[in-house]
Amino acid sequence: MNQPELTSPNEKIAKWIFEQLEQAGLPGLIAVIIDETCTSTCIYTKSDSSSLKSIVTSNNAYRL
């Protein structure tokens, strides 16, 4: 699956954090979520986008 190009600074930060946690071997990691504002969220995951709802509500997604 091709990942779309990351454009915003928060997308790049979320990807970097995800990769660092993944490299450290954090068990169960599926996503990094950055709450930008009360209505805007940045999510980085390697999962397919059809499972985003379960990712957002998962206890294994680290919210920043």
Side-chain angles (χ1 to χ4, degrees):
M1 177 171 90
N2 272 345
Q3 292 275 337
E5 184 177 335
L6 303 177
T7 56
S8 79
N10 284 339
E11 289 174 338
K12 293 174 184 176
I13 291 168
K15 178 183 180 194
W16 181 85
I17 292 169
F18 185 96
E19 289 172 347
Q20 297 303 305
L21 294 172
E22 184 178 52
Q23 185 178 8
L26 186 65
L29 175 67
I30 57 171
V32 170
I33 302 171
I34 299 177
D35 290 324
E36 300 170 309
T37 67
C38 61
T39 59
S40 177
T41 301
C42 172
I43 302 170
Y44 181 83
T45 182
K46 288 188 177 178
S47 300
D48 62 57
S49 60
S50 65
S51 60
L52 276 182
K53 183 175 181 174
S54 64
I55 289 170
V56 171
T57 60
S58 170
N59 290 329
N60 291 334
Y62 293 86
R63 298 186 81 94
L64 306 171

